[in-house]
Amino acid sequence: MAYQIGDTVAPFTLPRAEGGDLTVDPSAAPATVVVFTANHCPYALAWHERVQQVARDYADQGVAVIQINPNNQVTHPNDSTAASARRVADGHFAGPYLRDEPQEVTRTWGAEKTPDVFIVDRSGALVYRGAPDADHDDESQRATYIRQALDDLLAGRPVALSETPPKGCGVKWRTETVTIGS
């Protein structure tokens, strides 16, 4: 069952695109933004810099912005671990970029699109899920939905807009079973 607003999310560990693992634990930050994204999707690419700017703008308040590429790298080589690592090496990310090759975290969170944004508070409660803002083509939107949710959360207010429809490319699901370690 996918996470719903108000659910407590569990910490998880995924590999970084450039190597090594990262454990994401919401209790380590006043807010954690988890963005399921992609290297090839025009929607994810249109919103990409706005999400990076959120990461930079809220870093001094301790907000963690974690981006995860969930797509099947066999059918979508532009979303491969190697392609993702190149984007990291080229400085395209203002925070960790992870790969969910077995897609278990993606399924648990219920991500459907790239991008699909989730925000959790320090207790791990899911407080926002949806799009970064209202229009991927309008850079002046500045990831307004993410910013409004973070501003509410950091000010100790209930998040006024807790859910919007995610917009973007569908997650490219694996059709075969992946066995970790083989």
Side-chain angles (χ1 to χ4, degrees):
M1 179 91 181
Y3 291 135
Q4 303 294 316
I5 299 298
D7 287 353
T8 300
V9 306
F12 62 89
T13 302
L14 285 173
R16 291 175 176 266
E18 72 276 23
D21 290 340
L22 178 70
T23 297
V24 177
D25 181 354
S27 69
T32 302
V33 181
V34 176
V35 182
F36 292 86
T37 190
N39 298 333
H40 84 280
C41 172
Y43 294 92
L45 294 172
W47 268 308
H48 180 78
E49 186 50 38
R50 283 178 254 177
V51 171
Q52 305 325 300
Q53 194 58 51
V54 166
R56 290 187 285 271
D57 290 349
Y58 287 84
D60 64 342
Q61 296 177 67
V63 172
V65 177
I66 310 298
Q67 294 164 84
I68 301 171
N69 186 326
N71 284 337
N72 180 345
Q73 67 181 347
V74 173
T75 59
H76 289 76
N78 287 341
D79 284 322
S80 70
T81 299
S84 297
R86 279 192 300 277
R87 287 188 74 205
V88 170
D90 290 344
H92 291 251
F93 291 88
Y97 191 30
L98 311 179
R99 285 280 302 142
D100 185 13
E101 186 62 24
Q103 299 179 322
E104 292 169 5
V105 170
T106 305
R107 289 185 194 284
T108 299
W109 284 67
E112 300 168 0
K113 305 281 186 185
T114 57
D116 205 340
V117 178
F118 297 78
I119 301 175
V120 297
D121 68 13
R122 187 181 294 279
S123 74
L126 181 61
V127 299
Y128 175 81
R129 189 277 173 98
D133 58 45
D135 187 352
H136 70 283
D137 281 331
D138 182 359
E139 291 180 20
S140 72
Q141 292 273 318
R142 299 185 61 242
T144 306
Y145 295 162
I146 298 173
R147 290 173 184 278
Q148 288 171 345
L150 288 173
D151 290 347
D152 284 346
L153 182 59
L154 295 170
R157 300 183 298 259
V159 173
L161 181 63
S162 61
E163 196 161 11
T164 64
K167 299 175 187 174
C169 303
V171 170
K172 308 309 182 219
W173 297 105
R174 296 182 68 101
T175 56
E176 73 280 3
T177 303
V178 175
T179 304
I180 306 289
S182 62

